[in-house]
Amino acid sequence: FDHPSIMFSGQVSRLSSSFFTPNIGGLASLSFVQVRFATKKAQGSSRNGRDSNPKYRGIKKNHLEQVMPGHIILRQVGNKFHAGENVGTGKDFTLFAKVPGIVQFDKPKFKNTRYKYVHVVPTDENFDKKRRIFPKYGYTKQAALLHHVLGLPEESIVVHKKEDNENMD
C-alpha cells in the first residue's frame, strides 16, 4: 500500500481516523463509512411567530377628571383597584362610572390595607331622583309621563295627536 498519508506504524496522519483503522500486522486497513447527504434542504421550524392582540389596559380617566355614566375609568387584570361609590365592575374587572361626576382614586390609609378604591363623586345631586320613563307598547310618551307624575293608569289617559285634532274640527 503506497500512499503518503498512511504510515506503516499504524497511525493516520492526514486523513480522518474514522476512515482508516490500524491493522494488527502493522498495515492500515481501509474501512468505508457510508454518509448520506440530504437531497432536499431541511426546513427549520420556528417556535416564535405568534402574537396576541393588544388589550389596551390601564387607567383611562385620571384623578379629578370629569366622567359621565358608562365612561370606562380603568381596564385591569384582576382586582388591583376595587369599585367604590358610584362605580361598577365589568366581568373583565373593568371599572366604569355609574353617575356623572369626578373620579377620585383612594389611597389605602394603612399599610395592611390591600385594596385601592376608585370613587365617583357625583356633581348632579338630583341624578338619583331622575328616572327615564318608557311608555308601554302602544301608548304615547305623554301618557307614560302623566301616569308617572299623576299616578293615573295609562289606559285612562287620552292624549290627542295632531291628526285627531284636525279630524275633530
Side-chain angles (χ1 to χ4, degrees), residues 1 16 18 25 27 39 41 43 49 69 71 73-74 76 78 80 83 85 90 93 128 140 148-149 166:
F1 208 91
S16 173
S18 63
L27 292 174
T39 56
K41 184 174 165 75
Q43 303 247 337
H71 279 193
I73 299 170
L74 68 93
Q76 60 185 345
K80 184 174 181 182
E85 292 290 320
F93 301 104
D128 292 337
T140 61
H148 178 71
V149 172
E166 290 173 2

Side-chain angles (χ1 to χ4, degrees), residues 12 77 121 152 156:
V12 177
V77 180
V121 179
L152 299 172
S156 66

Side-chain angles (χ1 to χ4, degrees), residues 88-161:
T89 305
K91 67 177 182 178
D92 60 344
F93 301 104
T94 297
L95 299 184
F96 60 92
K98 288 183 173 179
V99 297
I102 297 173
V103 177
Q104 186 177 22
F105 284 86
D106 197 12
K107 281 200 269 183
K109 293 181 175 84
F110 305 104
K111 286 188 177 182
N112 295 340
T113 323
R114 293 191 301 178
Y115 303 133
K116 300 174 194 166
Y117 287 96
V118 180
H119 308 285
V120 173
V121 179
T123 53
D124 187 5
E125 297 87 24
N126 297 324
F127 183 77
D128 292 337
K129 297 174 187 170
K130 293 178 183 175
R131 282 190 63 196
R132 296 178 74 189
I133 300 163
F134 297 101
K136 289 183 183 175
Y137 183 74
Y139 295 100
T140 61
K141 290 181 183 178
Q142 291 88 356
L145 183 62
L146 289 172
H147 165 69
H148 178 71
V149 172
L150 301 176
L152 299 172
E154 289 185 45
E155 296 84 19
S156 66
I157 301 171
V158 178
V159 179
H160 296 288
K161 296 181 182 177

Side-chain angles (χ1 to χ4, degrees), residues 15-105:
L15 296 177
S16 173
S17 62
S18 63
F19 285 87
F20 297 99
T21 55
N23 200 357
I24 295 176
L27 292 174
S29 65
L30 195 59
S31 66
F32 292 101
V33 178
Q34 188 175 8
V35 178
R36 185 172 181 192
F37 294 102
T39 56
K40 293 190 177 183
K41 184 174 165 75
Q43 303 247 337
S45 66
S46 173
R47 279 181 265 179
N48 300 327
R50 294 172 307 280
D51 197 8
S52 61
N53 293 329
K55 302 298 176 220
Y56 300 108
R57 294 193 176 106
I59 296 175
K60 309 298 179 195
K61 300 287 183 180
N62 288 316
H63 184 68
L64 302 178
E65 204 168 328
Q66 189 80 27
V67 290
M68 294 302 291
H71 279 193
I72 293 174
I73 299 170
L74 68 93
R75 289 189 181 273
Q76 60 185 345
V77 180
N79 262 348
K80 184 174 181 182
F81 291 91
H82 286 258
E85 292 290 320
N86 303 315
V87 175
T89 305
K91 67 177 182 178
D92 60 344
F93 301 104
T94 297
L95 299 184
F96 60 92
K98 288 183 173 179
V99 297
I102 297 173
V103 177
Q104 186 177 22
F105 284 86

